[in-house]
Structure formats: structure tokens, C-alpha cells
Amino acid sequence: MLVLAFDTATPAVTAALHDGARVLAESTTIDARRHGELLVPSIAEVLREAGAALGDVTAIVAGSGPGPYTGLRVGLMTAQALSSTTGAPAYGVCSLDALAYASGLTVPFVVATDARRKEVFWARYADMRTRLSGPSVDRPDDLPGEPLLVGAGARMYAGVLGEGRLVDGAPDFPLAGALAALAAEHLAALPDPAAPGGVLTAPVPIYLRRPDARVPGAPKKVTA
């Protein structure tokens, strides 16, 4: 097994290679404006560091969001393109699930990332592997008021949500090493490695908002 994973659903452009037992290489750059520029070089970097070729990859996994439209599409379209090129199956994994997995928590908590517009993308978990609800998009003060908090969205609105609920040492963004490890765990349990199952889905985006663009209506009359 050789899993190539990457995520572009947040400001973190992150890629990693996992052999089914451990992360062989990982690269992460925080830059919300350069997903398209940074992702392919990051993939090339982790392959080079691990001494692997793209043709060696047996599964491709992309974070499927939720996240802003443009960044999210970069990762998912790259996964589909690489799958077509190599023949390796491509999967999507909810980016919040990767962030939850990286937390290592065994108690209930909430993951929240920045959704802009003074809102957060969030989901509720029983532990690092078990999502109870979500993903959803809401204002910070609409989130559950008791569980621990993980993620950049929670940190941004800690004044509203409560500083004491933030988990020390948990990552702010989904990182590809955790995404790859979570995917490898589920791939090992699948009877058919080419079929989605568990947290693994088709590589399609999770959009929680309608697009900003609208089909123009009929032109207004300017004469009587």
C-alpha cells in the first residue's frame, strides 16, 4: 500500500505519502492564495523525499472539505487527474475528519474551521474516529456549548466559544499525514480497495453554501 494524500480545503496546502504503517514524507505550507501553485510541487516533494514514483501510488486521497470553492476544487480535481493518469483509485475524505483524527482525542469534541463571513464549518465527534453530526456551517455562537474545541475556526472565535475549551497541541488545519493515516486505516479494512467505504467517499466536494454566482434574471425595462 502506498497512499498519496493531500488537502486544500483550508489555508494549509498539505501533502503526504503513507505506506500503510507510517507516514514516509509530508509537506505543508500555509498560504490561502496559492493552492494551485503549491499543490503539485508539494506532491513532487513528498514523492522525492520518500524515494517513490507516482506510478508506485496505490491510492489517492483528497480532503473533500467543507471549504472555500476555489481551494477545494484544486485538490479534488488534482486527485481525479492523477487517478486517471496512474489508474490508482481516488477517494475523498471529509477534511474535518482528518483534523479530528489528528487530535488523538478519546472524549467528545467539536472541530471548527474558518468558513469566512463570520461563520465556521464544524462537526461534532465522540472521539477521534467517530463523527456524530455535521459537517455544518453556522455562526460561532450557534455551536454546542460544552465539548472541547479543535481547529482554526475555534481558535479564531475563542472569545465567543471559550478559551478554556481549546485543546492544547491540536492542529489548526487538516494535515495530510493524518489524512493519509486515516485513509490507510480504512483502506486496509475494505474488502474491495477500489470501492469507497467508511470515511472514504468519491472525490467530490462538500459544499455547504449555495454558490455566490447567480444566473442573471430578465433585464429591467428602462423605458415606460
Side-chain angles (χ1 to χ4, degrees), residues 27-93:
S27 172
T28 300
T29 304
I30 310 300
D31 192 328
R33 297 177 180 273
R34 299 175 62 214
H35 295 92
E37 294 177 49
L38 294 171
L39 179 57
V40 171
S42 296
I43 291 170
E45 180 182 338
V46 298
L47 288 169
R48 184 170 56 252
E49 184 178 334
L54 187 58
D56 299 330
V57 171
T58 59
I60 298 163
V61 180
S64 54
Y69 179 88
T70 303
L72 191 53
R73 295 293 296 181
V74 167
L76 290 163
M77 293 304 294
T78 299
Q80 293 174 30
L82 292 178
S83 177
S84 296
T85 300
T86 64
Y91 305 93
V93 172

Side-chain angles (χ1 to χ4, degrees), residues 145-223:
E146 295 180 2
L148 296 172
L149 297 166
V150 171
R155 194 170 301 283
M156 285 180 66
Y157 297 102
V160 174
L161 298 170
E163 294 274 359
R165 296 171 60 195
L166 295 174
V167 176
D168 291 336
D172 282 342
F173 305 111
L175 301 179
L179 176 62
L182 175 61
E185 194 174 278
H186 283 261
L187 284 167
L190 288 180
D192 177 5
V199 304
L200 300 167
T201 65
V204 294
I206 300 172
Y207 291 135
L208 298 181
R209 290 193 182 116
R210 292 181 180 277
D212 291 332
R214 296 286 187 272
V215 176
K220 294 181 179 179
K221 291 183 178 180
V222 295
T223 58

Side-chain angles (χ1 to χ4, degrees), residues 80-182:
Q80 293 174 30
L82 292 178
S83 177
S84 296
T85 300
T86 64
Y91 305 93
V93 172
C94 175
S95 300
L96 301 182
D97 288 353
L99 192 44
Y101 188 82
S103 75
L105 291 172
T106 57
V107 296
F109 63 101
V110 166
V111 169
T113 59
D114 181 24
R116 305 176 183 173
R117 304 181 191 176
K118 299 182 179 179
E119 293 181 326
V120 292
F121 297 122
W122 69 281
R124 188 167 187 165
Y125 294 82
D127 55 51
M128 61 187 280
R129 291 181 175 84
T130 311
R131 186 177 355 133
L132 297 175
S133 63
S136 304
V137 58
D138 286 296
R139 295 180 66 83
D141 50 11
D142 292 327
L143 268 60
E146 295 180 2
L148 296 172
L149 297 166
V150 171
R155 194 170 301 283
M156 285 180 66
Y157 297 102
V160 174
L161 298 170
E163 294 274 359
R165 296 171 60 195
L166 295 174
V167 176
D168 291 336
D172 282 342
F173 305 111
L175 301 179
L179 176 62
L182 175 61

